[in-house]
Amino acid sequence: MPTSKETDMSTIAFIGLGIMGSPMSVHLARAGHDVVGYNLTPDRYGPLEEAGGRGSGSIAEAVKAADVVAVMVPDSPDVQAVLLGDDGVFANAQPGTLVIDFSSIRPDVTAELAKEAATKGFRLLDAPVSGGEAGAVNAALSIMVGGSADDFAEAQPILEVVGGTVVHVGGNGAGQTVKAANQLIVAANIEALAEAVVFLKAYDVDIDAALTVLGGGLAGSKVLDQKRGNMLEESFAPGFRIDLHHKDMAIVSSAAREAGVVLPLGNLVATLMAAARANGDGGLDHSGLLRGVQRLSGQPTH
């Protein structure tokens, strides 16, 4: 019998071919979809073209014949520009097109964009992802989806090409709210791991052995599994940049204020993320929070 990943092939416009978008577009092309990519800088088309997709010269060109438009750009203003601009999706795609926004943006912005999409005859799902570059490369992302149940059902076979865990969590904006919670948990875990590493090193413990045994108990986490190498080697090539996690923590803080809830640890981690950025670490992987703990401890950073 056909699996859920075996579906009628679609023409997919993929807007944003960065660290995450590029491997996601490649998976869709290799699955047999006709993928047309667009990126602000044209040097990102190579992997998609090698997988059988193609690049385009503008958003308008990419979306004009698309059944589905996928968006993976950094922040709320970027998504607004992609969807609302004169060269954008709503002005150039065919009415009825399904738009899947994989970006992580403000829930209120997503809700407004969904209303605008509906007035123009489009359908919008917010489908932010978790798993970082490794998850994108391995098609193992966790995808939290907000929007109508019918639109989710239509998108699910496409989402399952790039994700390992795909869950419909509610209406428009719900996906972004769950992603904000995800970023809160991840940031707190990374900071705790960084502090543990600095603590263990102060006692001249075998750090690799210590993290192995910690990973086997209640302290174990995917953060420990995926980020231990970065911290042991003090190598912070970006899988997910501090700049972007700083943006996400601002979303968490703002949404918490609007809901009238208090996030003491979240606010502290947001401050530490901002401090890392202010110290020039914004382009590093978020495991680079280790450098902030080192600085506070009077230790050299590498």
Side-chain angles (χ1 to χ4, degrees):
M1 293 180 63
T3 69
S4 60
K5 292 192 180 186
E6 291 173 350
T7 182
D8 292 338
M9 295 301 106
S10 300
T11 297
I12 301 174
F14 205 109
I15 313 302
L17 302 177
I19 288 174
M20 302 291 289
S22 178
M24 292 169 72
S25 71
V26 165
H27 288 309
L28 291 167
R30 287 177 176 165
H33 295 286
D34 178 18
V35 182
V36 186
Y38 174 77
N39 199 67
L40 277 175
T41 55
D43 60 339
R44 300 292 302 182
Y45 295 132
L48 175 58
E49 291 172 344
E50 290 174 10
R54 62 191 190 278
S56 61
S58 67
I59 295 174
E61 178 186 334
V63 306
K64 64 184 179 182
D67 305 308
V68 176
V69 175
V71 181
M72 178 55 103
V73 293
D75 203 352
S76 301
D78 304 299
V79 175
Q80 290 170 315
V82 166
L83 297 186
L84 302 177
D86 291 341
D87 183 51
V89 176
F90 293 166
N92 295 282
Q94 297 299 312
T97 299
L98 178 62
V99 181
I100 304 173
D101 181 21
F102 290 113
S103 316
S104 296
I105 66 173
R106 287 167 38 194
D108 60 323
V109 171
T110 284
E112 288 301 317
L113 288 171
K115 291 178 183 176
E116 183 72 13
T119 65
K120 296 182 180 299
F122 297 98
R123 298 166 296 143
L124 178 66
L125 293 173
D126 47 298
V129 306
S130 179
E133 182 181 14
V137 169
N138 295 319
L141 294 167
S142 180
I143 308 178
M144 44 226 82
V145 187
S148 79
D150 288 345
D151 291 341
F152 172 73
E154 181 178 332
Q156 190 169 3
I158 290 172
L159 298 172
E160 289 179 346
V161 172
V162 296
T165 302
V166 179
V167 180
H168 183 222
V169 294
N172 286 113
Q176 297 297 350
T177 303
V178 175
K179 177 59 188 289
N182 179 88
Q183 296 305 81
L184 166 61
I185 294 168
V186 171
N189 271 268
I190 290 175
E191 177 63 22
L193 177 59
E195 292 181 16
V197 167
V198 170
F199 171 71
L200 291 166
K201 284 187 175 180
Y203 283 90
D204 200 27
V205 171
D206 182 332
I207 307 297
D208 190 37
L211 294 182
T212 296
V213 71
L214 290 173
L218 192 57
S221 69
K222 288 186 177 180
V223 164
L224 194 159
D225 293 341
Q226 294 185 20
K227 301 301 180 180
R228 62 182 287 170
N230 298 67
M231 294 195 184
L232 289 174
E233 299 166 13
E234 298 192 28
S235 174
F236 306 114
F240 187 78
R241 299 193 307 276
I242 283 173
D243 277 338
L244 291 176
H245 213 140
H246 169 73
K247 176 264 297 183
D248 290 343
M249 293 308 296
I251 292 173
V252 172
S253 298
S254 175
R257 282 195 302 272
E258 290 175 12
V261 298
V262 178
L263 306 177
L265 182 57
N267 289 333
L268 175 57
V269 178
T271 299
L272 295 170
M273 199 75 70
R277 191 167 179 263
N279 277 281
D281 291 346
L284 302 181
D285 185 77
H286 49 182
S287 56
L289 285 179
L290 175 69
R291 290 164 54 86
V293 183
Q294 291 171 329
R295 281 190 289 262
L296 288 169
S297 301
Q299 298 176 0
T301 59
H302 302 283

